[in-house]
Amino acid sequence: MQIVKIDSTPFNGQRPGTSGLRRKVKIFQQPHYLENFVQSIFDTQQPLIGGTLVVGGDGRYYNREATQTILRMAAANGVARAIVGQGGLLSTPALSHLIRKHQAQGGIVLSASHNPGGPNEDFGIKFNTANGGPAAETVTEAIYQRTTEISDYKTLDNIETDLDHIGTSRLSGMQIEIIDPVTDYAALMQTLFDFDCIRRLLRSNHFSMRFDAMHAITGVYATHILEEVLGAPAGTVINRRPLPDFGGGHPDPNLVHAHELVSMTQGHNGVDFAAASDGDGDRNMILGQNFFVTPSDSLAIIVANAHLIPGYQKQKIDGVARSMPTSQAVDRVAGKLGIDCFETPTGWKFFGNLLDAGRITFCGEESFGTGSNHVREKDGLWAVLFWLNLLAVKQQSVATIVQDHWREFGRNYYTRHDYEAVDKTAATQLMQHLRNRLEALPGAQIEGHTIEYADDFAYADPVDNSCSQHQGIRIGFTDGSRIIYRLSGTGTQGATLRVYLEAYEAAPEKQQQATASVMAPFVSIARKLAQIAQKTGRDRPTVIT
Ligand code: VG1
Ligand code: CO
């Protein structure tokens, strides 16, 4: 097997966004495109040379080809050992766990998460460091800088690895271990949750559930854990077969894209519990009968009830963190527990240092992401198992648990409006226009609400003191409500403007209103303040979650 050096020239724009480098498949298929990025990882991440690398993806179109390319390049660059999920498959949280379990020097995730897949859709690549988490900004910046000056890459002459059979083989000097993608992850879950208790619930005649794998990676994990290990009736997991194009859908677990599942919870005969995950298995949506749990509430409820769950009874809850646009529901729980609550920029990479330093035990994002210190990624099935364990212990409905929580802590009404694929220049101008007005806003009265503060969110990491600027425009009102604007860092078409809205209601008798009507005044303020219609030509969002 010959190691070859291939001449190459830089591509523009290989800077990773919120979660890795995401582009159309067609862009990744250009000769040298993927290779340049991968070589830039090896060039800048020296510990990988002679070290261990974990590789896997969500099974989307181009996953296999990319896995082969990465393995050839890893061998040619002197990686000693590669651990690869069978078929090139690994969920994002499972990959994170494997890095930690094997003390690997890093991992490569092939996924564009909740973005659609297929020859004309999206692909993505993300590098995770030795802690199991997404690389910090300093690392992704170094990789990006390297892509701007790259002149060649190392690979092996055309050789393919058998990805489908579990076992160990060699590729040039590198050992390749093809492993079952589910086994280690399932074992980790058993250390955290009371499987016997969940089993009783799932087998009871008084309880029904569905899990929607959305034809993505969690089909494999959920079928094994929920049906085979925990004994849920066959058919509990729907859309279980991972498909390269996710069956043509968006593998995005929200009320819009998981409508099939949502309809199963509706009406008098709706199931008691339903959940869905995304393309790469790190997101989750939690539903009860006729009831939707916002991700922000889910985080708060998880923290408030951690003492009921075996894996967290054993440990002290160090603190919690939420991304800035996530509702402040968890802040109130942290206040009551007397623990720290950190507000970080959007993206899981910002939780890594806090988790590693033992400053937080749980963290989450409004974008259907929740997790804990068991791995360094958000974890969809973990959240589902947490809820199942909670339902089994409390013997109450999802709605009762959430409503009781609101009564105790108050309710943070929450909604997010996305304006997708808007013109990039227009979106940038809209943000700049807001930024220019920030100083003038505090004290201003708009439609009966007074602005208390307005800023461009910057985060100083308390562990390594690194600073991240321009992480979203934050506008807070004197009554505790907030409007936040930011541009997505995961889209592949134009720009996506996200507007996050939150309003707090302490009075129990006012906690049963429809979110849309409570949020309507803030939606109107948000549109006016940012001149969304004038600047983007859009009079309504494309997705509301
Ligand atoms: C979105 C979400 C963010 C999440 C990121 C990755 O980013 O808002 O909270 O961490 O996706 O999620 P953005 O920049 O488009 O708003 V996923 O499931 O990739 O792995
Ligand atoms: Co994801």
Side-chain angles (χ1 to χ4, degrees):
M1 260 171 270
Q2 187 88 28
I3 295 177
V4 288
K5 219 177 195 176
I6 311 276
D7 288 338
S8 186
T9 49
F11 287 89
N12 276 336
Q14 289 198 319
R15 175 180 265 137
T18 313
S19 185
L21 181 68
R22 289 189 192 169
R23 296 287 180 264
K24 292 285 172 212
V25 165
K26 293 265 170 346
I27 292 183
F28 269 104
Q29 283 173 325
Q30 299 170 87
H32 315 315
Y33 189 90
L34 173 68
E35 288 86 345
N36 276 12
F37 191 78
V38 173
Q39 187 62 49
S40 300
I41 296 176
F42 292 129
D43 287 349
T44 54
Q45 308 305 311
Q46 282 305 315
L48 288 174
I49 313 307
T52 300
L53 176 74
V54 184
V55 184
D58 63 9
R60 69 179 57 228
Y61 188 86
Y62 205 53
N63 190 129
R64 270 179 177 268
E65 294 85 336
T67 305
Q68 296 286 0
T69 302
I70 290 164
L71 292 177
R72 281 192 293 268
M73 291 184 64
N77 276 280
V79 170
R81 178 182 178 211
I83 297 170
V84 188
Q86 187 179 20
L89 300 180
L90 280 175
S91 79
T92 291
L95 179 135
S96 179
H97 175 53
L98 286 169
I99 294 177
R100 297 163 65 76
K101 179 179 168 185
H102 295 283
Q103 295 175 332
Q105 279 63 44
I108 293 180
V109 191
L110 300 168
S111 171
S113 190
H114 52 288
N115 297 13
N120 298 312
E121 297 296 349
D122 293 352
F123 191 72
I125 176 167
K126 184 168 69 121
F127 177 65
N128 282 26
T129 39
N131 71 344
E137 271 187 333
T138 43
V139 173
T140 54
E141 262 317 287
I143 295 170
Y144 167 65
Q145 284 308 326
R146 182 65 191 148
T147 68
T148 64
E149 59 194 31
I150 194 157
S151 57
D152 53 53
Y153 61 85
K154 281 190 224 137
T155 187
L156 299 179
D157 260 344
N158 256 333
I159 173 147
E160 300 268 303
T161 300
D162 174 1
L163 299 174
D164 296 312
H165 294 97
I166 289 173
T168 303
S169 60
R170 288 200 86 78
L171 187 62
S172 188
M174 181 174 80
Q175 174 170 313
I176 297 188
E177 289 165 40
I178 306 290
I179 59 156
D180 178 81
V182 181
T183 312
D184 292 306
Y185 177 81
L188 174 66
M189 292 300 115
Q190 295 217 35
T191 66
L192 299 172
F193 302 112
D194 185 342
F195 270 35
D196 289 334
C197 184
I198 299 176
R199 192 173 290 119
R200 280 194 294 277
L201 176 76
L202 290 176
R203 286 186 175 166
S204 130
N205 294 331
H206 310 291
F207 184 81
S208 57
M209 83 163 279
R210 290 285 181 281
F211 178 89
D212 190 351
M214 305 190 85
H215 287 303
I217 191 78
T218 48
V220 188
Y221 291 82
T223 304
H224 177 70
I225 296 174
L226 297 176
E227 295 188 13
E228 290 164 21
V229 178
L230 290 169
T236 295
V237 180
I238 64 168
N239 300 319
R240 65 173 65 201
R241 208 157 69 86
L243 296 172
D245 68 348
F246 307 117
H250 279 246
D252 194 352
N254 61 36
L255 295 175
V256 180
H257 295 304
H259 50 82
E260 181 188 356
L261 180 77
V262 175
S263 67
M264 291 174 170
T265 64
Q266 285 166 349
H268 199 61
N269 292 321
V271 295
D272 301 299
F273 179 68
S277 190
D278 69 333
D280 60 329
D282 56 359
R283 295 188 177 205
N284 73 91
M285 174 170 68
I286 302 292
L287 302 161
Q289 193 182 55
N290 300 307
F291 201 89
F292 165 64
V293 186
T294 70
S296 299
D297 278 348
S298 178
L299 172 65
I301 290 164
I302 282 174
V303 176
N305 291 286
H307 61 282
L308 299 173
I309 308 299
Y312 303 95
Q313 270 160 358
K314 293 182 240 160
Q315 48 176 306
K316 183 177 135 282
I317 306 302
D318 295 315
V320 292
R322 61 163 171 82
S323 69
M324 183 273 279
T326 303
S327 99
Q328 299 164 98
V330 73
D331 303 35
R332 296 183 183 271
V333 178
K336 183 158 185 196
L337 295 176
I339 55 176
D340 283 339
C341 180
F342 298 89
E343 184 174 46
T344 58
T346 293
W348 210 260
K349 57 180 173 251
F350 294 102
F351 295 133
N353 277 346
L354 296 169
L355 288 163
D356 288 349
R359 305 280 293 267
I360 60 170
T361 304
F362 296 100
C363 43
E365 297 191 277
E366 51 64 44
S367 54
F368 297 85
T370 15
S372 85
N373 57 4
H374 68 289
V375 289
R376 292 294 179 272
E377 289 277 6
K378 53 188 184 271
D379 190 341
L381 262 173
W382 169 87
V384 175
L385 291 168
F386 195 111
W387 269 94
L388 280 171
N389 201 153
L390 190 58
L391 292 171
V393 171
K394 288 205 153 207
Q395 296 287 321
Q396 289 173 325
S397 71
V398 172
T400 304
I401 291 175
V402 178
Q403 285 160 353
D404 284 355
H405 183 91
W406 291 341
R407 216 165 296 126
E408 185 175 352
F409 294 95
R411 175 173 181 186
N412 292 71
Y413 284 96
Y414 193 84
T415 190
R416 183 177 109 183
H417 287 203
D418 290 337
Y419 297 77
E420 296 173 313
V422 299
D423 181 69
K424 237 186 187 145
T425 317
T428 316
Q429 279 170 359
L430 178 150
M431 292 298 286
Q432 194 49 49
H433 165 250
L434 275 172
R435 235 171 246 132
N436 295 343
R437 295 183 56 195
L438 286 176
E439 266 178 43
L441 287 177
Q445 279 240 352
I446 308 174
E447 302 188 4
H449 296 269
T450 308
I451 297 181
E452 188 177 332
Y453 62 88
D455 60 15
D456 188 354
F457 183 60
Y459 176 66
D461 185 303
V463 179
D464 68 11
N465 296 318
S466 60
C467 199
S468 305
Q469 310 278 348
H470 305 304
Q471 297 296 323
I473 304 286
R474 211 164 46 153
I475 296 176
F477 295 83
T478 48
D479 59 5
S481 48
R482 299 193 305 168
I483 299 174
I484 286 142
Y485 304 85
R486 60 177 282 283
L487 297 184
S488 157
T490 58
T492 57
Q493 221 181 346
T496 293
L497 169 68
R498 302 203 197 284
V499 185
Y500 311 80
L501 305 127
E502 170 184 9
Y504 180 67
E505 183 52 72
E509 67 278 10
K510 291 186 188 162
Q511 289 171 353
Q512 302 297 333
Q513 305 168 70
T515 298
S517 65
V518 174
M519 300 317 293
F522 295 100
V523 170
S524 153
I525 294 174
R527 288 186 183 160
K528 272 192 204 139
L529 264 180
Q531 304 182 344
I532 295 178
Q534 294 97 304
K535 293 217 152 34
T536 67
R538 301 285 182 84
D539 59 1
R540 67 182 60 130
T542 37
V543 179
I544 298 178
T545 48

